[in-house]
């Protein structure tokens, strides 16, 4: 008996060491679909890794692909300055 899991149910939620998920990089999920396509074509390396917190499926997403979605773009000075200040509504938890 075979069991399966649709990759669209897990790939967008896969996280990196910075607690960023693939869906955080591209909420439209175009990046997730590209990764799924590359996995299906066996063009992305993946492995199962045992760690003290559990057993994980790790995929190696090419930097070039992440770059096309702006992942490695450096924020400009204005964006850096804006990131230093949190709005009071966010601090208070008001939406």
């Amino acid at each position: 008996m075979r069991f399966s899991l649709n990759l669209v149910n897990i790939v967008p939620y896969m996280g990196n060491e910075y607690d960023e998920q693939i869906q955080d990089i591209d909420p439209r999920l175009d990046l997730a679909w590209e990764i799924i396509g590359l996995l299906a074509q066996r063009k992305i390396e993946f492995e199962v890794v045992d760690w003290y917190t559990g057993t994980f499926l790790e995929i190696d997403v090419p930097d070039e692909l992440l770059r096309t979605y702006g992942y490695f773009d450096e924020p400009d000075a204005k964006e850096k300055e804006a990131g230093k200040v949190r709005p009071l509504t966010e601090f208070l938890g008001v939406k």
Side-chain angles (χ1 to χ4, degrees):
M1 182 180 303
R2 297 183 87 170
F3 294 88
S4 64
L5 178 63
N6 189 336
L7 288 176
V8 78
N9 292 326
I10 60 170
V11 170
Y13 304 102
M14 294 182 81
N16 62 15
E17 63 267 27
Y18 306 110
D19 290 331
E20 298 167 319
Q21 294 181 348
I22 290 171
Q23 67 180 353
D24 296 335
I25 297 169
D26 176 38
R28 298 169 301 147
L29 300 185
D30 292 339
L31 173 59
W33 280 110
E34 282 201 53
I35 291 169
I36 291 167
L38 292 171
L39 282 166
Q41 297 170 37
R42 304 210 180 355
K43 292 184 177 179
I44 283 186
E45 293 182 24
F46 61 91
E47 63 181 318
V48 176
V49 177
D50 285 322
W51 190 244
Y52 69 94
T53 57
T55 303
F56 300 90
L57 171 65
E58 279 191 1
I59 59 175
D60 188 11
V61 179
D63 289 349
E64 302 81 46
L65 181 57
L66 292 172
R67 221 174 253 107
T68 63
Y69 286 88
Y71 183 70
F72 292 110
D73 290 349
E74 281 293 318
D76 61 20
K78 213 175 200 183
E79 291 171 326
K80 284 182 182 177
E81 190 60 34
K84 292 179 184 176
V85 180
R86 289 177 54 197
L88 182 60
T89 53
E90 181 185 327
F91 179 75
L92 296 174
V94 178
K95 294 184 180 185

